[in-house]
Amino acid sequence: MVESTPKCKIKDSVFTNLFQDKKYLLQLYKALHPEDCNVTEDDIADVTIKHVLVDTDYNDLGFSIRNRLMILVESQSTWTANIIIRALMYLVQTYHDYFKRTNQNLYGSKKVNIPTPELYVIFTGERKNTPSTISLSKEFFKGARIAVDVEVKVLYQESEKDIIGQYIIFSKVYNKQRKLYGNTKRAVIETIRICKDRNVLKKYLESKEQEVVDMMMTLFDDEQILKAYTKDIKDDATKETERETAKKMIKKGKMTLEEIADCVSSLSLDELKKLEAEIA
């Protein structure tokens, strides 16, 4: 029996599922703003960009607090400064949806009400000297003053004390288990066991353990599908390039088809014969 493999976007899936529950979303907000003691679940509105029927960008998590704060959070396991640009695009789309939802006229003379934006990336990978903030100006324009700057706060500290730190621990435990056991169900089960023993996301994992296992396991490995698709494109491009090369070699007439076949490995001798007939 072949064991199914976990989705390669496993941590993103757990991240999204975890914070769909408002009690955990409230914990996330309080980790970001411990000074704001009076906020309740009722004060939080989910504004995550969701596109079901169209193929376009969507963000990991977005929520507002009493229409005064607009908080966007991304989970990132691989370091890239491009997250700044994506965060900017998500923020613009989120504001667009907000103005439409609140019936505010951007073309009128009355100044619109706009929530204060906060942008975060939860970084779960390994990197030396991870910065606490990254900005569009510094990363892309050498610190120059630009018309629109964007600052993203980077959260990367492991901690059992808050749900952000626990999620980072969960992600790193899974990375270690995957190195030990590969992309297998055992890596998933061990991750859940270790995290529960360490009191990391324990209540979430206990209440949704089977759902988490099912979510993490899949027969259709997204990354493998993407790799196969990329390889197909690359192979097609290589074949087309070698086809043009073979055409030139056939026209010159200095090599036999057998000799040309040794030079252009993506084309068979039969394909070269057909190509020769087309040229003739």
Side-chain angles (χ1 to χ4, degrees), residues 98-142:
Y98 173 79
F99 293 132
K100 186 175 180 180
R101 187 172 62 253
T102 55
N103 295 315
Q104 296 193 71
N105 181 11
L106 290 175
Y107 300 97
S109 59
K110 181 181 178 182
K111 185 187 295 184
V112 297
N113 295 316
I114 182 170
T116 301
E118 292 185 2
L119 306 175
Y120 298 89
V121 57
I122 298 177
F123 179 60
T124 61
E126 299 295 335
R127 186 179 191 271
K128 292 182 179 179
N129 303 318
T130 304
S132 58
T133 60
I134 49 179
S135 74
L136 188 65
S137 171
K138 291 179 181 178
E139 292 290 339
F140 292 92
F141 301 100
K142 299 180 180 180

Side-chain angles (χ1 to χ4, degrees), residues 6-17:
K7 289 182 68 177
C8 290
K9 295 198 77 174
I10 165 184
K11 296 185 294 297
D12 292 340
S13 298
V14 171
F15 180 87
T16 303
N17 183 266

Side-chain angles (χ1 to χ4, degrees), residues 195-222:
C195 287
K196 288 198 299 183
D197 288 346
R198 289 182 59 179
N199 199 29
V200 168
L201 303 181
K202 186 175 181 179
K203 289 185 178 179
Y204 167 74
L205 294 173
E206 286 180 340
S207 65
K208 294 191 174 184
E209 183 160 348
Q210 189 55 53
E211 182 180 344
V212 170
V213 172
D214 292 342
M215 179 171 52
M216 292 164 79
M217 299 301 301
T218 179
L219 291 172
F220 301 100
D221 186 323
D222 291 346

Side-chain angles (χ1 to χ4, degrees), residues 27 33 38 49 65 80 106-107 113 126 140 166 180 203 206 211 247 250 264-265 271:
Q27 289 180 35
H33 287 278
N38 298 320
I49 302 168
I65 304 294
T80 172
L106 290 175
Y107 300 97
N113 295 316
E126 299 295 335
F140 292 92
Q166 289 183 37
L180 288 173
K203 289 185 178 179
E206 286 180 340
E211 182 180 344
K247 275 185 179 180
I250 291 171
V264 288
S265 58
E271 286 175 312

Side-chain angles (χ1 to χ4, degrees), residues 231-248:
K231 184 178 183 299
D232 286 344
I233 293 176
K234 185 177 180 181
D235 289 347
D236 288 345
T238 300
K239 191 166 185 176
E240 186 59 32
T241 300
E242 292 196 342
R243 181 182 173 86
E244 292 302 314
T245 300
K247 275 185 179 180
K248 293 177 182 178

Side-chain angles (χ1 to χ4, degrees), residues 173-186:
V173 168
Y174 175 71
N175 288 340
K176 290 178 182 177
Q177 296 309 302
R178 187 174 58 183
K179 286 179 181 178
L180 288 173
Y181 305 113
N183 286 349
T184 64
K185 188 172 183 177
R186 183 173 180 182

